[in-house]
Amino acid sequence: QVQLVESGGGLVQAGGSLRLSCAASGRTFSNYAMGWFRQAPEKEREFVAAISWSGATTYYGDSIKGRFTISRDNAKNTVYLQMNRLKPEDTAVYSCAADSGPILTTMSPAYDYWGQGTQVTVSS
């Protein structure tokens, strides 16, 4: 079993940066690919980024445009999302998720475990 808890969200002005963390509990964290998703009010959940179990490969959603970076530290059981040059349209609840599948995916139904989410609000 895997439990995920996000932190690091908050209010930031456009152009600023935030670093989100996702702390995992469970003995098999390093065997899971990890992803970040976001969901704004009255909008569908959107894929943000994913990282393989080893951290060797990453994948990003088209809307990110090189502004975000996903990373993980398996020794600390933590995955990160560094967000730079934030825009008001980045405002959303950001959730991390764990996937036991063999390849990276952008599809949220493929992920097995989810955190509760952390709010990111970008003001103009």
Side-chain angles (χ1 to χ4, degrees), residues 4-82:
L4 307 172
V5 180
E6 302 94 335
S7 62
L11 176 64
V12 64
Q13 291 185 331
S17 299
L18 284 174
R19 188 195 194 198
L20 305 183
S21 298
C22 176
S25 62
R27 297 180 180 179
T28 59
F29 171 77
S30 63
N31 298 125
Y32 286 81
M34 299 294 296
W36 285 97
F37 294 79
R38 66 186 184 185
Q39 187 169 21
E42 300 182 343
K43 292 184 173 60
E44 296 297 316
R45 182 176 292 153
E46 178 186 22
F47 172 77
V48 176
I51 187 168
S52 64
W53 67 268
S54 68
T57 57
T58 58
Y59 190 73
Y60 296 94
D62 293 337
S63 64
I64 302 306
K65 299 180 180 179
R67 297 180 296 116
F68 296 1
T69 302
I70 188 171
S71 62
R72 68 189 297 165
D73 186 339
N74 290 340
K76 298 180 179 179
N77 293 329
T78 303
V79 63
Y80 305 97
L81 184 68
Q82 179 67 46

